[in-house]
Amino acid sequence: MACASCSTKDGQPKGCKNNGTCGTDSCNKLTVFDWLANMSLPNGEKPFNWVEVRYKNGRKEYYKNTGNLTLSIGDIVATQAKAGHDIGMITLTGELVRIQMKRKNISDNEEEALKVYRKASQKDIDIWSSARDKEEPMKVKARQFAIDLNLEMKISDIEFQGDASKATFYYTAEERVDFRELIKVFAREFRTRIEMKQVGFRQEASRLGGIGSCGRELCCSTWLTDFRSVSTSAARYQQLSLNPQKLAGQCGKLKCCLNYELDTYLDALKSFPKTETKLQTEKGTAVCQKTDIFKGHMWYAYEGEWNHWHKITTVQANEIIDLNKKNKKITSLEEYASELVEDTKTEFENVVGQDSLTRFDSPKPRNKRKNNRRRNNKNNKSNKNKRKPQNSKNAAK
């Protein structure tokens, strides 16, 4: 999704001309589309006077518009903070803010409500942008200070308040960290109020963003807001190899996308017998070797004949198990497997009108040297034959 200023035209992307502050907010993290924007309210209904404001790396807060300011998506505003004010961008207005607040269990109590002061002036924006420029070099120094104090922590991000009066340091750590000495070093070096916030590894990945192994942006930094627990059983149900390097995301934890299709696999597995159940036949006992969940096929091999697999359907496997429960045995699995013999011959059609796959291959160059040698040899032989009679005449004289 892109706005008109950065969309692709004539095969070439224009690039964002607004640096992430366009009115559609479609270039930013955790963007929300206001699908109620063009709908008018019923008669007598007042518009909801709360707004959603986004700060650095997708952090969002909700404020009350007490001054009845005319605010729209993309406006930069000065908002109330515990001390001073902050600068953020409007990402949502109207009735959708009420729905978002209800979903996140945020009360619209008058006493606890933070306010929107005003639309940000050019002076506010200049102070805000100059503070943002300091964050990256500060992060490098802060990490070095933590290393010098031998603290087992990683400072992942720094966020300045809009009026540059406070800096919040986000860090991750495996255990509890005593950073009292570190705060003193920060205050002495950076000359500002310091706040430390510990975040989880998934929250760190969502704040920083990145590209996943699928080639798309991380789900947690674009649309995913609730982090559900992911276990290795989700990978087992989907028949994925339990390789921690492939199953782990950039946060080091199991990928959230392992839960996306889990319900579909669980529904499909309801018709499958347990893989531990053995099939009793007159020829021998068969053990399950492999399953194809969506095609409904299972492969069995006789004990002692592990290299020869027999493919049957789940319906057939359940029938054999029911017969075994009645102390009955089938003759062999070959009777059922013969019904699933498929013609593996594949016929390809020329759907694009391209007959040969090697039509663009350059023809092999002819060996000119061999041809030239043959010609030279022929010329030399003919010249020798012409010279022989002349030599014989001279000898006679």
Side-chain angles (χ1 to χ4, degrees):
M1 184 178 178
C3 57
S5 64
C6 61
S7 59
T8 302
K9 186 178 181 182
D10 298 331
Q12 296 292 329
K14 296 180 182 178
C16 186
K17 305 294 176 60
N18 298 288
N19 296 322
T21 59
C22 54
T24 60
D25 190 40
S26 58
C27 306
N28 301 307
K29 298 178 182 179
L30 300 179
T31 182
V32 179
F33 178 71
D34 191 0
W35 50 275
L36 294 176
N38 297 326
M39 298 181 66
S40 58
L41 293 172
N43 294 330
E45 285 287 333
K46 294 182 180 180
F48 192 60
N49 61 344
W50 285 69
V51 293
E52 183 185 73
V53 181
R54 183 182 64 83
Y55 298 99
K56 181 183 178 183
N57 284 336
R59 181 174 69 89
K60 292 185 177 181
E61 302 290 344
Y62 296 90
Y63 297 89
K64 188 173 183 181
N65 184 10
T66 56
N68 294 325
L69 302 172
T70 304
L71 301 175
S72 58
I73 295 175
D75 290 342
I76 299 175
V77 293
T79 59
Q80 182 182 358
K82 292 181 179 180
H85 68 273
D86 208 347
I87 302 295
M89 188 176 67
I90 300 290
T91 54
L92 205 58
T93 60
E95 290 299 316
L96 276 186
V97 181
R98 190 199 304 271
I99 298 173
Q100 292 283 65
M101 292 175 65
K102 185 177 180 181
R103 188 173 67 88
K104 297 180 180 180
N105 295 323
I106 298 175
S107 174
D108 55 354
N109 192 356
E110 297 284 344
E111 298 177 356
E112 301 176 358
L114 297 175
K115 302 175 183 179
V116 176
Y117 285 149
R118 62 185 181 277
K119 287 188 177 181
S121 62
Q122 187 60 43
K123 182 179 179 181
D124 294 331
I125 296 174
D126 292 340
I127 296 172
W128 176 47
S129 60
S130 63
R132 290 286 297 270
D133 294 338
K134 299 177 185 177
E135 291 172 355
E136 197 61 32
M138 277 181 65
K139 184 170 67 175
V140 177
K141 290 182 179 179
R143 287 179 174 175
Q144 187 59 45
F145 291 147
I147 293 171
D148 294 340
L149 294 174
N150 296 322
L151 297 178
E152 295 293 331
M153 61 185 297
K154 175 190 173 185
I155 297 173
S156 59
D157 194 19
I158 299 176
E159 183 179 0
F160 260 103
Q161 194 169 286
D163 56 359
S165 62
K166 186 182 74 171
T168 303
F169 290 75
Y170 295 91
Y171 71 95
T172 56
E174 294 284 351
E175 299 177 355
R176 188 173 180 179
V177 180
D178 185 7
F179 47 75
R180 288 176 291 183
E181 187 64 30
L182 183 64
I183 291 178
K184 293 178 183 179
V185 176
F186 285 171
R188 184 171 61 251
E189 179 69 22
F190 302 132
R191 302 287 181 177
T192 186
R193 290 189 296 116
I194 304 297
E195 182 180 353
M196 304 290 292
K197 278 191 177 181
Q198 184 174 0
V199 295
F201 293 101
R202 286 181 172 172
Q203 284 78 10
E204 178 191 20
S206 67
R207 284 186 62 84
L208 301 181
I211 304 297
S213 58
C214 58
R216 299 173 65 90
E217 290 186 63
L218 298 181
C219 298
C220 55
S221 65
T222 51
W223 62 271
L224 188 64
T225 55
D226 54 336
F227 298 101
R228 300 179 181 178
S229 61
V230 185
S231 61
T232 54
S233 61
R236 290 193 185 96
Y237 284 126
Q238 299 175 58
Q239 297 181 345
L240 300 175
S241 62
L242 300 179
N243 187 348
Q245 293 181 348
K246 292 184 178 181
L247 296 180
Q250 291 193 4
C251 58
K253 306 294 182 181
L254 291 174
K255 293 179 182 178
C256 297
C257 55
L258 290 175
N259 282 338
Y260 295 169
E261 297 178 353
L262 180 59
D263 293 337
T264 307
Y265 278 86
L266 291 176
D267 290 339
L269 284 170
K270 289 179 180 178
S271 60
F272 277 73
K274 293 183 179 180
T275 55
E276 297 85 6
T277 305
K278 298 180 180 180
L279 304 184
Q280 303 296 332
T281 66
E282 295 179 358
K283 188 176 180 180
T285 303
V287 182
C288 181
Q289 302 294 319
K290 177 186 171 183
T291 59
D292 189 335
I293 296 177
F294 293 108
K295 289 185 178 180
H297 293 161
M298 302 182 74
W299 283 261
Y300 284 87
Y302 291 112
E303 292 180 348
E305 298 180 5
W306 304 113
N307 293 330
H308 301 285
W309 292 7
H310 305 281
K311 182 173 72 171
I312 62 176
T313 63
T314 55
V315 177
Q316 294 170 343
N318 287 321
E319 288 179 2
I320 298 171
I321 293 172
D322 292 337
L323 291 173
N324 292 156
K325 289 179 180 179
K326 299 176 182 178
N327 295 324
K328 296 181 181 180
K329 295 182 180 180
I330 62 170
T331 307
S332 64
L333 290 177
E334 283 80 349
E335 298 178 358
Y336 294 89
S338 61
E339 299 177 2
L340 291 174
V341 175
E342 299 176 357
D343 186 10
T344 57
K345 185 178 179 181
T346 306
E347 295 182 0
F348 297 96
E349 296 182 1
N350 185 17
V351 295
V352 192
Q354 299 169 348
D355 296 326
S356 175
L357 295 176
T358 60
R359 63 192 181 282
F360 293 121
D361 295 347
S362 57
K364 293 183 179 179
R366 296 177 179 177
N367 198 342
K368 294 181 180 180
R369 291 183 179 179
K370 290 183 179 180
N371 295 332
N372 292 332
R373 286 178 182 175
R374 291 174 182 174
R375 291 175 183 174
N376 293 332
N377 292 333
K378 289 181 180 180
N379 294 330
N380 293 332
K381 288 180 180 180
S382 61
N383 292 331
K384 287 180 180 179
N385 294 330
K386 290 179 180 179
R387 288 174 185 174
K388 281 181 179 180
Q390 293 178 358
N391 294 332
S392 61
K393 289 179 181 179
N394 294 330
K397 289 178 181 180

